[in-house]
Amino acid sequence: MDYYFSADGVNTQGPTPQEDLAARVAQGTLPSTTQVCAVGGQAWQPISSILSAPSVPPPPLPQVGDATGGVIPYKNLPALIGYYLGIFGLIPFIGLLLAIPAFILGIVGLRKRKKNPIIKGSVHAWIGIVLGFISIAYHSLFIVAMVMSRKH
């Protein structure tokens, strides 16, 4: 069926086949607010009423980050776990067992963040790396000091 159409509500164009109108809407050259009237018809109606399928695909869903705004990066578990292990890695004696995974998970968390920037956690990952390194260093120094003191 052919239709007259008005994109601006003032100027009338056509008649134009329905398929051409649908193609123009799909391409974005004709706004979805366009009014149409069938040849021989009396009433103007929105173009959406004559299109059998949605003319414009819905926009893609936006990617969203953490619902907490990145304060708790629950989508970047390696960074989050590395952060907590780094903090608990500062505990004397047992800290060395926690500091090594904190350091490793911090690096894994940074790599995950680099692959998908929408997720947060780079600060948590860096804290895991830094505290893990500090804990490894001071535990190692402590072990070296213990060994050296036994020699004397």
Side-chain angles (χ1 to χ4, degrees), residues 41-102:
Q42 298 293 322
W44 287 88
Q45 57 191 350
I47 195 166
S48 60
S49 65
I50 65 161
L51 300 178
S52 58
S55 57
V56 179
L61 292 173
Q63 287 188 331
V64 293
D66 299 330
T68 61
V71 176
I72 302 171
Y74 65 90
K75 290 186 177 181
N76 191 347
L77 283 179
L80 186 61
I81 294 169
Y83 169 81
Y84 285 112
L85 289 177
I87 291 173
F88 292 120
L90 297 173
I91 298 172
F93 305 112
I94 65 165
L96 185 60
L97 299 173
L98 302 175
I100 295 170

Side-chain angles (χ1 to χ4, degrees), residues 64-150:
V64 293
D66 299 330
T68 61
V71 176
I72 302 171
Y74 65 90
K75 290 186 177 181
N76 191 347
L77 283 179
L80 186 61
I81 294 169
Y83 169 81
Y84 285 112
L85 289 177
I87 291 173
F88 292 120
L90 297 173
I91 298 172
F93 305 112
I94 65 165
L96 185 60
L97 299 173
L98 302 175
I100 295 170
F103 185 80
I104 294 169
L105 287 173
I107 293 171
V108 171
L110 280 180
R111 288 183 179 164
K112 186 173 181 180
R113 166 85 161 108
K114 186 176 182 180
K115 286 181 185 176
N116 188 3
I118 199 75
I119 64 172
K120 304 297 181 188
S122 58
V123 172
H124 283 76
W126 275 111
I127 290 172
I129 291 169
V130 170
L131 291 181
F133 179 78
I134 290 171
S135 181
I136 291 169
Y138 90 72
H139 279 96
S140 298
L141 288 174
F142 181 75
I143 292 169
V144 168
M146 292 295 290
V147 170
M148 296 298 277
S149 69
R150 290 191 182 236

Side-chain angles (χ1 to χ4, degrees), residues 1-64:
M1 177 174 268
D2 292 346
Y3 291 88
Y4 291 101
F5 68 95
S6 176
D8 59 6
V10 177
N11 299 314
T12 302
Q13 298 178 33
T16 304
Q18 179 179 351
E19 297 80 24
D20 290 348
L21 292 172
R24 288 184 187 185
V25 172
Q27 294 168 352
T29 58
L30 200 62
S32 59
T33 57
T34 300
Q35 295 288 312
V36 295
C37 180
V39 173
Q42 298 293 322
W44 287 88
Q45 57 191 350
I47 195 166
S48 60
S49 65
I50 65 161
L51 300 178
S52 58
S55 57
V56 179
L61 292 173
Q63 287 188 331
V64 293

